[in-house]
Amino acid sequence: MTSPAYDDNNIFAKILKGEIPSYRVYEDEHTIAFMDVMPQSPGHTLVMPKSPSRNIFDADPAALQHAITVVQKIAVAVQEAFDADGVYIAQFNEPSAGQTVFHLHFHVIPRLEGVALKPHSGKMEDGAVLAENAKKIIDALNG
Ligand code: 5GP
């Protein structure tokens, strides 16, 4: 099966262009990281390359290489910020694999022993909570 083409108007492209607000925790020349609005656990963060690709199939290998180093940076920060026992990293490609937004991104999700994850794309979190959680991650990144 051939994947559909990248759509410039997907919701994460709009976040990148600043047309839609987001709670950003990290940005560099090639990548941004921001809070997932429907977190599966407190601190659920998304890391995405700025270069347009729908998912792993059409991604630029250099963008992928850089993005995974940012995933590591964010994983370390969320582990510290949320005193996590573990961190779950996920990345979905095409709807059959669970992808719902078609700009490549990685989920970085803190896990606590014995605490179940909330559903993927479940309930919208309160903005004040997302802002507070973003601050914790920024503080850990700057710590
Ligand atoms: P996917 O299923 O494509 O891997 O994940 C997309 C993620 O984006 C989901 O976890 C969902 O909660 C999150 N999401 C959907 N719309 C928005 C949005 O407008 N802003 C942010 N920050 N996250 C979103």
Side-chain angles (χ1 to χ4, degrees):
M1 180 213 132
T2 317
S3 302
Y6 180 79
D7 172 9
D8 278 329
N9 281 319
N10 75 77
I11 199 130
F12 288 176
K14 290 183 175 175
I15 283 177
L16 265 175
K17 287 182 263 181
E19 293 171 8
I20 287 180
S22 64
Y23 297 92
R24 294 192 187 199
V25 298
Y26 176 85
E27 177 163 11
D28 65 28
E29 193 186 344
H30 303 295
T31 318
I32 70 168
F34 57 102
M35 306 311 293
D36 192 305
V37 285
M38 291 170 265
Q40 291 187 255
S41 76
H44 182 166
T45 306
L46 300 170
V47 174
M48 69 173 169
K50 291 182 177 177
S51 62
S53 78
R54 184 174 160 89
N55 52 38
I56 205 155
F57 296 127
D58 58 341
D60 169 18
L64 271 176
Q65 278 176 21
H66 180 72
I68 203 71
T69 66
V70 176
V71 167
Q72 181 188 37
K73 201 187 286 281
I74 298 299
V76 170
V78 301
Q79 184 188 33
E80 185 190 320
F82 295 90
D83 203 15
D85 298 310
V87 174
Y88 170 50
I89 312 287
Q91 191 274 314
F92 308 125
N93 302 285
E94 298 301 326
S96 58
Q99 187 176 10
T100 58
V101 179
F102 298 95
H103 181 113
L104 175 69
H105 56 276
F106 294 85
H107 298 258
V108 181
I109 306 178
R111 298 297 311 265
L112 293 176
E113 200 63 52
V115 178
L117 281 186
K118 291 184 197 152
H120 177 62
S121 299
K123 189 173 154 284
M124 191 82 86
E125 184 55 276
D126 192 62
V129 173
L130 293 174
E132 193 180 316
N133 289 342
K135 184 176 181 315
K136 287 184 189 167
I137 297 170
I138 292 165
D139 287 347
L141 285 166
N142 292 333

